[in-house]
Amino acid sequence: RNCEALRRAVLSRPDGVLRVVVLDPEAEDGVRFASRQLDDSLDYPVQQLRPSLEATVGQLALMRAWPVPGTVEYRLLDYNPGFSLVAIDPSRRGGQAIVEVHGFHNDATHSRMHVELHPGDGRWYDYWLDQFGSIWSAARPLPVESGELTEPGPG
């Protein structure tokens, strides 16, 4: 449902951009440590990290090939920064940033602390958007796979 919502909303606009940074499933040390923190610290897990990462990267590759006006971009990071971050229309007045702190031990994923910030929140809103920018810059872009649709280059 989330992918369908993204297709109908963000990706249906020519200026719509979806940017995602995923923990690199091939970064053995990073995945091992994150798995210990995220999988092993849950009392009632419903999924495992490595297969979830692999599925996410596969889904993003499919989405990047969709014939939509918007753009799907994704990169891989070799370690877990200790939080998850979702920013929705961050530069617009109604924008928001949702930060999930991974913590040390939880019943389940939904019991982790989530903080929702808006442009009017000032310093902390800007801080978390800057965090995403830093993570995006540090993450490794993936080459476009054969078979994916791409925009024609100039000339």
Side-chain angles (χ1 to χ4, degrees), residues 50-154:
R50 185 180 304 272
S52 296
L53 294 172
E54 292 167 350
T56 298
V57 171
Q59 182 64 50
L60 289 167
L62 290 173
M63 292 170 67
R64 186 161 65 175
W66 287 352
V68 293
T71 304
V72 175
E73 302 173 1
Y74 64 102
R75 294 181 176 188
L76 301 177
L77 192 64
D78 61 355
Y79 65 93
N80 176 11
F83 59 86
S84 297
L85 174 62
V86 175
I88 303 165
D89 287 332
S91 60
R92 295 188 178 172
R93 186 180 345 171
Q96 62 181 340
I98 303 166
V99 181
E100 174 189 300
V101 180
H102 292 165
F104 182 72
H105 183 80
N106 298 108
D107 289 349
T109 304
H110 71 275
S111 64
R112 294 182 184 133
M113 179 182 166
H114 290 75
V115 179
E116 187 173 320
L117 299 163
H118 303 275
D121 294 330
R123 174 182 173 208
W124 292 114
Y125 185 76
D126 294 339
Y127 171 84
W128 286 106
L129 294 183
D130 287 346
Q131 285 289 288
F132 182 80
S134 295
I135 290 169
W136 182 258
S137 294
R140 177 174 57 90
L142 282 94
V144 175
E145 300 290 326
S146 62
E148 286 186 42
L149 301 175
T150 60
E151 291 292 317

